Amino acid sequence: MASENNESDKKILSMAQVRELAKDKDKCIMVIDNCVYDITKFIDEHPGGEEVLKENHGKDATNAFEDVGHSTDAREQMKAYKIAVLHSDDIKGSSKPRPVINNSSGTTSNTNNETGASWSKWVIPLVIAVAAAVLFKLLSKSGTDINRPPKAI
C-alpha cells in the first residue's frame, strides 16, 4: 500500500481531467485537500451514507470534508483511495485541515466549535429562565383574580 501512495503522489491531474474521470457514472471521484481520490469502493461503507459522496462527485469536496470534522482514522483510511494530486494550476489557497480532538467519550470534534459555543451553552438558557420569571411576575400582579368570583355589591 505504501508503493500505491508513492505512485499516486507522482500522478498529476488537472480539474478538467478530474471532471472527465467523473463522467464515468460507475466511479466516484473527488478532490480533497488538493488530492484526487477514487472512492468508488468506499461508497457502501461510508458512515455518512452514499448520498453525500455522490453530491461531491467530480468536485472539490475539501470544505464538505472539513465541515464534518472527520476523525484521524478517517484521514488515514482515505490514503488508500488516493489516485493523484491536483495540478498546481488548479490548486486553490492553502487549506489547512482543522485540528481534530478526541474527546473522552470517543467522539471527535473541531476545536473551533468547542471554544466559540461553550458560553452559549449556559448563557442562553439563563437569559430565557430570567425572562420567563420576570414575565410570570408581571402577569401574576394583576389586580383581579380570575379564579375568584366577583364580590356582590
Side-chain angles (χ1 to χ4, degrees):
M1 186 158 76
S3 63
E4 289 176 17
N5 285 339
N6 290 339
E7 289 176 26
S8 66
D9 286 337
K10 293 176 184 174
K11 188 172 181 180
I12 299 172
L13 295 175
S14 68
M15 213 43 211
Q17 290 171 311
V18 170
R19 284 190 288 272
E20 191 65 34
L21 280 173
K23 287 182 180 177
D24 183 355
K25 296 300 176 190
D26 293 331
K27 292 189 174 228
C28 189
I29 309 290
M30 65 179 58
V31 176
I32 300 173
D33 290 328
N34 302 318
C35 296
V36 183
Y37 296 92
D38 180 354
I39 55 165
T40 307
K41 295 177 183 174
F42 182 68
I43 287 179
D44 293 331
E45 300 171 26
H46 187 249
E50 65 183 54
E51 194 62 35
V52 69
L53 298 177
K54 289 181 178 180
E55 286 173 5
N56 291 293
H57 173 63
K59 300 176 187 174
D60 186 342
T62 303
N63 289 337
F65 182 84
E66 294 299 338
D67 286 346
V68 173
H70 284 87
S71 67
T72 308
D73 291 339
R75 293 173 191 278
E76 283 297 316
Q77 187 178 13
M78 65 190 269
K79 291 178 181 178
Y81 301 100
K82 183 177 175 182
I83 59 171
V85 294
L86 202 57
H87 190 276
S88 60
D89 291 344
D90 291 321
I91 292 177
K92 295 178 183 174
S94 66
S95 59
K96 296 179 183 175
R98 295 178 189 140
V100 176
I101 295 177
N102 288 327
N103 295 336
S104 59
S105 64
T107 61
T108 59
S109 63
N110 292 336
T111 56
N112 297 345
N113 291 345
E114 291 298 316
T115 57
S118 63
W119 65 270
S120 66
K121 291 179 183 175
W122 62 272
V123 171
I124 292 175
L126 180 65
V127 169
I128 292 172
V130 168
V134 169
L135 188 61
F136 177 76
K137 286 289 185 183
L138 288 174
L139 292 176
S140 64
K141 279 189 174 182
S142 66
T144 58
D145 187 1
I146 59 171
N147 292 325
R148 199 174 349 176
K151 294 181 182 178
I153 302 178

